[in-house]
Amino acid sequence: MWFQKQISLQARSRGFHLITDEILQQIPELANFSVGIMHVFLQHTSASITINENADPSVRQDFESYFNRTAAENEPYYVHTYEGSDDMPAHLKSSLLGCELSIPINQGQLAVGTWQGIYLGEHRNHGGSRRVLITIQGE
């Protein structure tokens, strides 16, 4: 069986945000799958998604600090600058972290580890809401 749905995530400030619950609230259909894979595709080039620690918020702060150093703003070699000083670094961060995940499904739930959650990396100062395409294959 296949299922696909586009969902929207609320607008967030720049940084890393735990979005697991927001995604799950929008796909109650997940309960219909005893086994499968959920593919999560973020339809943007200046944000990212990844899986990491869901308990301690300082991990998300450290992610933001690390990636701001790794892909800093206002580098003199950037050519793509007309959308703002945060735009080119946002594209780089999106490519480094990625815009898609594949997560196993077990008995109608995501089969993630105890301390794992889905992060949205919002890399723009004013990114707005974000579209996510959810595709589930399973039975």
Side-chain angles (χ1 to χ4, degrees):
M1 178 169 47
W2 286 87
F3 169 79
Q4 190 171 70
K5 182 179 189 179
Q6 185 181 67
I7 64 171
S8 292
L9 302 175
Q10 67 182 348
R12 288 179 165 78
S13 60
R14 183 171 167 166
F16 287 83
H17 306 276
L18 196 55
I19 60 168
T20 311
D21 289 342
E22 185 176 359
I23 289 174
L24 292 176
Q25 289 170 0
Q26 296 185 63
I27 52 164
E29 299 87 353
L30 182 65
N32 299 329
F33 292 86
S34 60
V35 64
I37 295 286
M38 182 174 87
H39 184 260
V40 183
F41 182 72
L42 180 66
Q43 297 178 302
H44 297 275
T45 62
S46 58
S48 62
I49 54 173
T50 189
I51 293 178
N52 216 292
E53 161 106 29
N54 67 1
D56 184 353
S58 69
V59 173
R60 296 189 299 276
Q61 292 172 329
D62 289 344
F63 262 62
E64 180 67 6
S65 296
Y66 174 82
F67 282 102
N68 284 340
R69 286 185 179 199
T70 302
E73 291 186 26
N74 299 310
E75 292 292 354
Y77 48 81
Y78 290 155
V79 176
H80 178 76
T81 58
Y82 58 88
E83 292 184 58
S85 63
D86 64 333
D87 188 52
M88 189 60 220
H91 293 312
L92 294 171
K93 293 170 189 176
S94 177
S95 287
L96 289 169
L97 287 159
C99 61
E100 62 182 321
L101 300 171
S102 291
I103 305 170
I105 298 166
N106 184 353
Q107 302 305 316
Q109 297 182 347
L110 298 182
V112 294
T114 301
W115 306 113
Q116 289 183 316
I118 302 170
Y119 287 11
L120 170 71
E122 178 51 72
H123 306 306
R124 296 299 308 268
N125 292 330
H126 306 286
S129 66
R130 299 297 190 170
R131 290 180 322 277
V132 177
L133 186 64
I134 304 290
T135 305
I136 299 175
Q137 180 185 17
E139 51 189 48

